[in-house]
Protein backbone atom coordinates (compact mmCIF):
# COMPACT_ATOMS: atom_id res chain seq x y z
CA UNK A 1 0.00 0.00 0.00
CA UNK A 2 1.35 3.39 -0.99
CA UNK A 3 1.48 6.11 1.63
CA UNK A 4 -0.43 9.35 1.13
CA UNK A 5 2.84 11.31 1.26
CA UNK A 6 4.12 9.35 -1.76
CA UNK A 7 0.84 9.83 -3.63
CA UNK A 8 0.93 13.59 -3.06
CA UNK A 9 4.40 13.71 -4.65
CA UNK A 10 3.04 12.22 -7.90
CA UNK A 11 1.75 14.22 -10.85
CA UNK A 12 -1.80 13.83 -12.15
CA UNK A 13 -0.61 11.58 -14.99
CA UNK A 14 1.26 9.33 -12.56
CA UNK A 15 -1.80 9.20 -10.29
CA UNK A 16 -4.03 8.20 -13.19
CA UNK A 17 -1.57 5.47 -14.18
CA UNK A 18 -1.47 4.22 -10.57
CA UNK A 19 -5.28 4.32 -10.48
CA UNK A 20 -5.43 2.08 -13.54
CA UNK A 21 -2.99 -0.37 -11.93
CA UNK A 22 -5.07 -0.47 -8.75
CA UNK A 23 -8.29 -1.08 -10.64
CA UNK A 24 -6.68 -3.98 -12.52
CA UNK A 25 -5.40 -5.38 -9.23
CA UNK A 26 -8.86 -5.00 -7.69
CA UNK A 27 -10.41 -6.92 -10.59
CA UNK A 28 -7.87 -9.73 -10.26
CA UNK A 29 -8.48 -9.94 -6.52
CA UNK A 30 -12.26 -10.08 -7.04
CA UNK A 31 -11.80 -12.95 -9.49
CA UNK A 32 -9.58 -14.78 -7.01
CA UNK A 33 -12.14 -14.23 -4.27
CA UNK A 34 -15.01 -15.55 -6.36
CA UNK A 35 -13.07 -18.70 -7.25
CA UNK A 36 -12.00 -19.26 -3.64
CA UNK A 37 -8.29 -18.69 -4.26
CA UNK A 38 -7.92 -15.49 -2.23
CA UNK A 39 -6.47 -16.22 1.20
CA UNK A 40 -6.07 -12.70 2.60
CA UNK A 41 -9.29 -10.77 2.02
CA UNK A 42 -7.91 -7.65 3.73
CA UNK A 43 -5.89 -6.95 0.58
CA UNK A 44 -9.13 -6.21 -1.27
CA UNK A 45 -10.05 -3.57 1.31
CA UNK A 46 -6.61 -1.95 1.13
CA UNK A 47 -6.76 -1.69 -2.67
CA UNK A 48 -10.24 -0.17 -2.50
CA UNK A 49 -9.00 2.44 -0.02
CA UNK A 50 -5.98 3.26 -2.17
CA UNK A 51 -8.30 3.81 -5.15
CA UNK A 52 -10.35 6.21 -3.04
CA UNK A 53 -7.24 8.13 -1.95
CA UNK A 54 -6.05 8.48 -5.53
CA UNK A 55 -9.47 9.62 -6.74
CA UNK A 56 -9.58 12.21 -3.95
CA UNK A 57 -6.15 13.60 -4.85
CA UNK A 58 -7.01 13.78 -8.56
CA UNK A 59 -10.25 15.64 -7.77
CA UNK A 60 -8.46 18.08 -5.45
CA UNK A 61 -5.81 18.87 -8.03
CA UNK A 62 -8.28 19.38 -10.85
CA UNK A 63 -10.40 21.60 -8.64
CA UNK A 64 -7.45 23.76 -7.60
CA UNK A 65 -6.06 24.11 -11.11
Amino acid sequence: MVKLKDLRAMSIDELEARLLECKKEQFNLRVQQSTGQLQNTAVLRNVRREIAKINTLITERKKNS
Side-chain angles (χ1 to χ4, degrees):
M1 180 112 149
V2 179
K3 294 190 177 199
L4 189 59
K5 180 180 176 182
D6 297 332
L7 290 175
R8 288 193 185 276
M10 293 181 180
S11 68
I12 291 181
D13 293 333
E14 292 171 331
L15 286 172
E16 289 174 347
R18 179 72 182 148
L19 180 63
L20 187 62
E21 288 176 25
C22 288
K23 286 188 177 186
K24 286 180 182 179
E25 183 180 357
Q26 183 185 30
F27 174 77
N28 290 331
L29 290 171
R30 279 198 324 248
V31 169
Q32 288 178 13
Q33 185 180 28
S34 67
T35 59
Q37 296 175 351
L38 186 63
Q39 298 295 321
N40 186 3
T41 56
V43 176
L44 203 62
R45 181 181 182 190
N46 291 337
V47 171
R48 194 171 63 240
R49 287 184 175 193
E50 187 172 342
I51 289 171
K53 287 177 186 178
I54 293 170
N55 279 329
T56 302
L57 286 173
I58 290 172
T59 303
E60 282 179 358
R61 294 214 179 138
K62 287 183 178 179
K63 186 178 178 182
N64 291 334
S65 294

